[in-house]
Amino acid sequence: MQVIVTPDPGAAFQQAASIIAGEIRSNPSPVLGLATGRTMEGIYSLLVQDHLQNGLDFSATTSFNLDEYVGLSASNPQSYRHYMNDHLFAHVNMRADHVHVPDGLAEDLNAECQAYEQAIHDAGGIGLQLLGIGETGHIGFNEPPSPFDSRTRQVTLHPVTRRQNAGMFGGDANKVPEKALTMGVGTILDARHLLLVACGRSKADIIARALLDTVTPDVSASALRLHPHCTVILDTAAARMWQERSALVS
């Protein structure tokens, strides 16, 4: 695992965007796993800028988003499909048939999850998977405990996660859907390169736990330590506790 500590969030976003742009430029048919959240907005803004100013070409790129809320349509402003359209898809030259986000309105959610796994397989697997980390330690919506061999499935969101995500729902956690579809931990670990980005002091404790404590399904992000090619990018605030605890044991 490579851990990169940057002086501020902007530098973290730039590092991550450079890695993603490098994957797109170096691979004739890149397959990206994408994430959502405020951290990702800064990364996507830089990728859009690279596309508009430097011609970063997304036309051969295929993408798979980590998750989606159950019960929200793609046109709902709180859906992750709408988020992705706003922050990336509508501003670059990705083909519509190369974009994949789980369908939270699918009539058969289990079949939707199985089809999502098959689509990832048919695309040749994910080359680079972008990740954030939730306060429960989740990657995707893999709330504790999440088996490390889990696949795309329906999950119940932890109350902490619903509170964390309330900002997109007018600050009311009760309006955040209780269920979501998410790639499983095993699905995420299948990607050839994992890229986790975390910024801010609110992430400091869970980052330290994920990177230093026992590897356990109770903190799904700890599974990243089992992966042969994982890059973690932190700003100084998010890295603080990890650095302090690492110094104590060195």
Side-chain angles (χ1 to χ4, degrees):
M1 175 180 287
Q2 179 186 24
V3 181
I4 300 170
V5 180
T6 65
D8 52 60
F13 302 158
Q14 186 63 65
Q15 286 266 8
S18 295
I19 291 172
I20 296 168
E23 176 75 10
I24 293 171
R25 288 191 166 101
S26 65
N27 193 325
S29 299
V31 181
L32 303 179
L34 299 179
T36 55
R38 291 183 179 177
T39 297
M40 306 307 157
E41 292 174 19
I43 297 169
Y44 294 147
S45 176
L46 290 169
L47 290 173
V48 170
Q49 180 180 321
D50 197 351
H51 169 70
L52 296 175
Q53 296 182 358
N54 306 312
L56 180 63
D57 184 8
F58 287 79
S59 62
T61 299
T62 298
S63 71
F64 292 90
N65 263 74
L66 281 166
D67 41 36
E68 180 60 282
Y69 291 112
V70 170
L72 298 189
S73 69
S75 61
N76 187 303
Q78 282 78 42
S79 74
Y80 286 146
R81 179 56 185 260
H82 192 278
Y83 170 103
M84 291 303 304
N85 288 342
D86 269 0
H87 293 287
L88 184 64
F89 298 154
H91 309 288
V92 298
N93 62 330
M94 287 186 69
R95 289 175 43 179
D97 61 333
H98 283 193
V99 168
H100 302 83
V101 181
D103 181 3
L105 286 183
E107 186 172 330
D108 186 333
L109 294 174
N110 288 332
E112 169 66 13
C113 293
Q114 293 173 12
Y116 207 70
E117 286 282 330
Q118 187 63 48
I120 293 171
H121 178 270
D122 292 346
I126 292 171
L128 175 63
Q129 175 66 62
L130 179 62
L131 298 165
I133 184 171
E135 292 178 16
T136 66
H138 66 234
I139 47 176
F141 272 139
N142 288 286
E143 302 284 24
S146 285
F148 289 169
D149 61 354
S150 56
R151 313 307 299 187
T152 301
R153 68 204 191 284
Q154 181 179 186
V155 295
T156 299
L157 299 182
H158 195 285
V160 169
T161 298
R162 295 178 72 206
R163 288 196 299 271
Q164 184 182 351
N165 292 0
M168 293 182 65
F169 294 84
D172 187 351
N174 291 321
K175 293 182 179 179
V176 179
E178 295 182 359
K179 304 281 188 179
L181 303 182
T182 185
M183 288 187 198
V185 179
T187 311
I188 292 168
L189 292 178
D190 281 347
R192 291 180 284 281
H193 183 186
L194 303 181
L195 174 61
L196 185 143
V197 186
C199 297
R201 62 183 181 181
S202 67
K203 300 297 178 71
D205 177 67
I206 194 59
I207 282 291
R209 289 172 56 199
L211 299 188
L212 295 173
D213 290 349
T214 303
V215 175
T216 171
D218 290 331
V219 180
S220 63
S222 68
L224 303 187
R225 288 153 60 191
L226 305 174
H227 197 276
H229 189 191
C230 178
T231 304
V232 177
I233 301 176
L234 310 170
D235 73 347
T236 52
R240 180 179 60 83
M241 293 184 68
W242 169 74
Q243 290 176 316
E244 291 175 354
R245 289 182 53 192
S246 295
L248 289 174
V249 298
S250 63

